[in-house]
Amino acid sequence: QQQVKQSPQSLIVQKGGISIINCAYENTAFDYFPWYQQFPGKGPALLIAIRPDVSEKKEGRFTISFNKSAKQFSLHIMDSQPGDSATYFCAASGYAGGTSYGKLTFGQGTILTVHP
Amino acid sequence: SAVISQKPSRDICQRGTSLTIQCQVDSQVTMMFWYRQQPGQSLTLIATANQGSEATYESGFVIDKFPISRPNLTFSTLTVSNMSPEDSSIYLCSGGQGAGYTFGSGTRLTVV
C-alpha cells in the first residue's frame, strides 16, 4: 500500500520533444507529490511538486498533471533538451505530524535520454 | 532551500568495520532523514533523525546496524556498523521543514 509505481523505466526523446513520465499510488493518505531530478553522482534535486487540490501545476517547461480519482500523476517536460538527460523520480508523502512531508516514498525512477 | 553537505563522498571499507557518515545543513531544519540508494535504483528511507531523541527506523532497519545521532538542528550522523558487502550502497541524508526537502550528494560506500 505504500508503493509508488513509476513508468517507463527508461525513455528516449529527441531534442524539442515532450517527455512524459507516469506514476500511480495506492495510499490515499498521500497528499504531497514531488518530482526529483538526479544527475549521476549527485543527490536528487526537487523539481516540482503538487498537492491533490489542484489538477495541474506548471513551472517553466515542467508540468505535473494530477488525477486524484485515478490516483495517478505525471510529469511532462516540454521542449526537452539534452541537459534534461537524467534520472527522474516521482515520490509521495502524507502529513505525519512532526515529520511533516519529509518521509518520502519514491517511485522506481525513469532514465531520460534526450538526443540532440 | 537548505543546502546539505555530506562527507565522506565515497569510501571503500573492509567487512566487519564501521563507517560514520556526516550530514551538515546550512540552516536549522526541523526534520532530517537518511535514505539508501542502490546504484541505479530508487531511494529507500532508513530512518528519521529526531533532534534530542532516538531516531525512528523504518521496517527492515535497526538501530544496532544503523545508529543515528542528531545533536542539533543542523547536523546528523549515520553509522553503518559491522559492514558486509550487502551494505555497499549510496547513503543520502535529506533535510527541510514543511514541504520541500533537499538532499545531500550522497556517500558511495563499497564494502570489500
Side-chain angles (χ1 to χ4, degrees), chain A residues 32 36 38 98 100 102-104 107, chain B residues 31 35 37 42 58 98 100-101 104:
Chain A
Y32 173 66
Y36 283 84
Q38 186 176 32
S100 192
K103 289 182 65 172
L104 295 165
Chain B
M31 306 307 305
Y35 290 82
Q37 183 178 28
S42 187
E58 299 299 306
Y101 286 76

Side-chain angles (χ1 to χ4, degrees), chain B residues 70-88:
Chain B
R70 178 90 193 271
N72 56 52
L73 292 176
T74 64
F75 188 78
S76 179
T77 66
L78 169 75
T79 299
V80 186
S81 303
N82 188 25
M83 288 184 286
S84 66
E86 292 71 37
D87 295 321
S88 297

Side-chain angles (χ1 to χ4, degrees), chain B residues 38-83:
Chain B
Q38 303 283 358
Q41 302 296 318
S42 187
L43 288 81
T44 300
L45 180 64
I46 297 172
T48 302
N50 302 306
Q51 197 265 332
S53 64
E54 269 195 8
T56 305
Y57 290 83
E58 299 299 306
S59 176
F61 299 96
V62 295
I63 187 171
D64 290 345
K65 178 66 175 177
F66 299 102
I68 287 171
S69 76
R70 178 90 193 271
N72 56 52
L73 292 176
T74 64
F75 188 78
S76 179
T77 66
L78 169 75
T79 299
V80 186
S81 303
N82 188 25
M83 288 184 286

Side-chain angles (χ1 to χ4, degrees), chain A residues 54-84:
Chain A
V54 297
S55 60
E56 186 175 281
K57 182 175 181 179
K58 183 176 181 179
E59 290 184 2
R61 296 185 294 111
F62 301 92
T63 300
I64 300 179
S65 297
F66 188 86
N67 185 328
K68 187 174 181 178
S69 61
K71 292 186 285 186
Q72 295 176 349
F73 58 110
S74 61
L75 176 69
H76 295 230
I77 306 175
M78 311 300 288
D79 188 26
S80 298
Q81 299 296 313
D84 296 330

Side-chain angles (χ1 to χ4, degrees), chain A residues 4-5 10 12-13 19 24 30 32 34 37 41-42 56-57 60 64 68 71 83-84 90 94 97 104 107 110:
Chain A
V4 176
K5 296 182 179 180
S10 62
I12 298 174
V13 175
S19 303
F30 288 149
Y32 173 66
Q37 178 189 58
K42 301 294 186 182
E56 186 175 281
K57 182 175 181 179
I64 300 179
K68 187 174 181 178
K71 292 186 285 186
D84 296 330
C90 64
L104 295 165
T110 297

Side-chain angles (χ1 to χ4, degrees), chain A residues 79-102:
Chain A
D79 188 26
S80 298
Q81 299 296 313
D84 296 330
S85 298
T87 301
Y88 292 81
F89 292 97
C90 64
S93 180
Y95 185 73
T99 64
S100 192
Y101 290 102

